Amino acid sequence: MEFTIKSGTPENLKRGCIVVGAFSDGSLSAAAQALDAAAGGALATLLSRGDLDDKAGSTLMLSLLPGVAAERVLVVSLGAPDALDDKAYRDALSAAGKALASLPAKDATVCLADIDVPGRDLAWRLQQAARLIASAAYRFNAPRKETPKPTKGVAKVQFLIADKAGADLKTAVAQGAAIAEGMALARDLGNLPANVCSPTYLADTAKALGKEFKFKVSVLDTAQMEKLGMGALLSVARGAHTPPKLIIMEYAGGKAKDAPVVLVGKGVTFDTGGISLKPAAEMDEMKYDMCGAASVFGTLKAAAQMALPINVVGIVPATENMPGGGATRPGDVVTSMSGQTIEILNTDAEGRLILCDALTYAERFKPACVIDIATLTGAVIIALGKIPSGLLANDEALARELLDTGERSGDRLWQLPLWDDYQELLKSNFADMANIGGRTAGSITAAAFLARFTKNYTWAHLDIAGTAWVSGDAKGATGRPVPLLSEFLIARAAH
Ligand code: BES
Ligand code: MN
Ligand code: ZN
């Protein structure tokens, strides 16, 4: 999708569609007023009939409005004027994006960025608009016998604003577009089935990204991981026929001496549970168990595309978790790269086993901070539902920074406590720790396990089990938390 910014009013623009906003009390945005005046009040008359629902994000498509040069006018509801907040603005933009994605028109002008959202400036509104419109047009290219031709969907979107566009506004739009592209990569990787998206496929994707954006990519195989003593990571791969990979991407946009932000993404390309086998229902969704990894790929792509002046390292431990003759058994004891031993009481708690060795490996980059991203626990969905991702951290300043970034990006987090009191739930009679903590506080004990491997740096853990994909009729990856992580890097790169 191609984005441009233009200043002026919309009535004389010859476009496939003009998008304007209206409020539930019948009042019109400035751009909608300009169209209404050109059409001799026709727009206000049409709206007064009540055809547009009050709820923010409701839409009404109008054609052949007299006095208006565009073929169509899409009116989007902004809800009640006094209730206009981030969510109403974002709902309006997503709805507009959805409508434009199925329109038989080539180009559109969107006049929603001038709407006053409390506490948000024009750069924020444009960045969000570009990201939401571009990601509403995402389609997974499913392999089918007859591939439908994509004849519909607006490819060129112009943002119309009243004032002149400076360089900062162009940057904001470019950032929104780059984040949407990063999300699309994360969604594609998530949506691909596990018989395609294997650890080797992820490694090849990393190499292709490194080639395109000129950053360093290394891939470690089983023998190299054995040499490093990654007994926890390798214990998960034992039952699989596909070889595991440890993928390392180093984007060096900052100065050589700048400590990098290290992102570690869980890359379980399929989680059967292993010998602690999962029940059959919805097990297909465990192809999404590499969405943490996918978000690292997507964020690195976005950062590289934005040419952010910051150093970022992405580390992805990638493997399947399969049962089999060679698979790890409940009760097996393994030694992690850190030297700490682990009694594996449940082979389905495999994410923490691959992450702990990747987190130890992260130390060699002398990180400014480490953030791991993982579809780690079903328990986080019980605790928080599918709205925010779970956040746990060993540093309050980093936690605060991420929470704020979540609000700004709209890709939200909620923090859970990581008190030492939880550590005793992990005690084992046969090793330094067990890999599960019993029935209570499942998301916290998972993070408490990881905390034993992150003592040497500032660290945060994002549990995205509830936010990385949606189930049901609209089943598909969401691309979260690429917006959050990209925004985090943008802000870090700015100081
Ligand atoms: N990948 C799963 C977590 C998961 C489950 C994500 C359902 C999304 C939906 C993870 O590897 C897992 O199986 N966790 C176990 C941990 C338990 C054995 C302590 C869980 O959540 O049940
Ligand atoms: Mn599991
Ligand atoms: Zn898993």
Side-chain angles (χ1 to χ4, degrees):
M1 193 169 288
E2 186 192 308
F3 293 108
T4 50
I5 312 178
K6 186 182 163 69
S7 49
T9 56
E11 61 277 10
N12 296 323
L13 300 175
K14 290 202 176 73
R15 312 285 288 176
C17 187
I18 307 259
V19 183
V20 293
F23 292 97
S24 60
D25 65 354
S27 60
L28 301 175
S29 66
Q33 282 174 30
L35 292 185
D36 189 52
L43 190 55
T45 306
L46 286 169
L47 288 176
S48 70
R49 292 178 188 159
D51 287 6
L52 179 66
D53 283 344
D54 287 352
K55 198 172 175 319
S58 306
T59 57
L60 179 63
M61 187 70 82
L62 305 171
S63 278
L64 303 168
L65 211 60
V68 172
E71 290 167 12
R72 303 169 192 80
V73 171
L74 177 71
V75 190
V76 184
S77 178
L78 298 161
D82 57 348
L84 185 68
D85 56 5
D86 286 8
K87 184 177 187 305
Y89 179 75
R90 294 164 49 77
D91 286 350
L93 263 305
S94 294
K98 213 173 147 199
L100 294 180
S102 60
L103 208 62
K106 279 197 216 53
D107 53 15
T109 293
V110 174
C111 314
L112 298 173
D114 268 340
I115 287 151
D116 189 30
V117 184
R120 301 301 187 191
D121 62 12
L122 182 54
W124 181 91
R125 299 192 304 260
L126 282 167
Q127 201 238 49
Q128 290 275 314
R131 194 244 286 178
L132 293 165
I133 289 174
S135 49
Y138 170 83
R139 294 277 173 283
F140 179 69
N141 192 1
R144 299 186 202 276
K145 188 177 176 192
E146 318 260 334
T147 319
K149 271 208 215 106
T151 50
K152 289 187 175 180
V154 168
K156 290 182 180 176
V157 173
Q158 178 185 62
F159 293 113
L160 194 70
I161 56 174
D163 294 334
K164 260 204 127 82
D168 57 325
L169 298 182
K170 287 186 187 144
T171 303
V173 169
Q175 285 177 342
I179 294 169
E181 272 196 46
M183 291 171 76
L185 172 62
R187 293 166 87 174
D188 278 344
L189 291 172
N191 288 332
L192 281 170
N195 61 331
V196 175
C197 188
S198 61
T200 302
Y201 185 93
L202 289 179
D204 291 345
T205 301
K207 286 179 195 158
L209 270 182
K211 204 160 186 197
E212 184 180 354
F213 293 101
K214 300 188 175 41
F215 58 73
K216 184 177 165 193
V217 175
S218 346
V219 177
L220 306 191
D221 61 16
T222 304
Q224 289 165 300
M225 288 188 268
E226 252 159 24
K227 240 191 192 144
L228 286 164
M230 296 184 157
L233 197 169
L234 289 170
S235 75
V236 177
R238 290 254 135 78
H241 291 292
T242 56
K245 304 284 175 193
L246 184 71
I247 304 160
I248 302 118
M249 297 168 278
E250 298 172 61
Y251 168 72
K255 299 195 189 78
K257 63 165 176 32
D258 292 349
V261 170
V262 178
L263 303 175
V264 179
K266 173 178 172 182
V268 173
T269 56
F270 197 81
D271 182 10
T272 65
I275 297 300
S276 313
L277 193 64
K278 286 183 181 294
E282 278 120 47
M283 207 210 273
D284 66 291
E285 295 190 6
M286 283 299 112
K287 73 175 182 180
Y288 290 116
D289 213 17
M290 35 55 70
C291 282
S295 76
V296 174
F297 285 109
T299 302
L300 266 114
K301 181 172 186 183
Q305 191 129 57
M306 294 184 277
L308 292 182
I310 188 172
N311 295 332
V312 188
V313 177
I315 304 178
V316 168
T319 179
E320 287 186 320
N321 184 23
M322 300 290 273
T328 295
R329 296 154 285 254
D332 284 2
V333 173
V334 299
T335 304
S336 67
M337 184 181 175
S338 73
Q340 299 177 93
T341 58
I342 304 161
E343 183 187 13
I344 299 175
L345 288 175
N346 190 320
T347 64
D348 198 11
E350 84 297 340
R352 61 200 79 180
L353 294 172
I354 68 168
L355 288 171
C356 72
D357 281 341
L359 288 166
T360 301
Y361 188 83
E363 285 182 12
R364 67 183 54 205
F365 296 102
K366 303 200 166 40
C369 67
V370 177
I371 303 170
D372 81 73
I373 308 101
T375 48
L376 204 62
T377 64
V380 83
I381 311 175
I382 306 301
L384 301 176
K386 296 186 161 219
I387 312 297
S389 304
L391 164 69
L392 298 103
N394 67 5
D395 182 89
E396 278 315 299
L398 178 61
R400 196 62 259 161
E401 188 181 350
L402 282 163
L403 286 165
D404 291 345
T405 309
E407 296 303 322
R408 198 167 62 251
S409 64
D411 189 357
R412 296 161 91 185
L413 304 172
W414 194 261
Q415 190 178 7
L416 299 171
L418 189 55
W419 299 317
D420 273 343
D421 310 52
Y422 291 100
Q423 287 296 346
E424 69 182 75
L425 293 169
L426 295 171
K427 74 174 191 277
S428 160
N429 288 349
F430 305 103
D432 290 325
M433 71 197 87
N435 79 326
I436 53 169
R439 283 176 54 245
T440 62
S443 303
I444 301 176
T445 51
F449 178 96
L450 297 176
R452 296 179 181 221
F453 300 85
T454 59
K455 295 205 184 295
N456 297 329
Y457 47 68
T458 305
W459 160 75
H461 159 66
L462 307 181
D463 195 331
I464 60 166
T467 54
W469 77 93
V470 292
S471 310
D473 283 349
K475 189 186 287 183
T478 60
R480 289 177 69 183
V482 171
L484 170 90
L485 296 169
S486 302
E487 203 76 61
F488 179 84
L489 295 177
I490 291 170
R492 282 257 169 152
H495 347 106

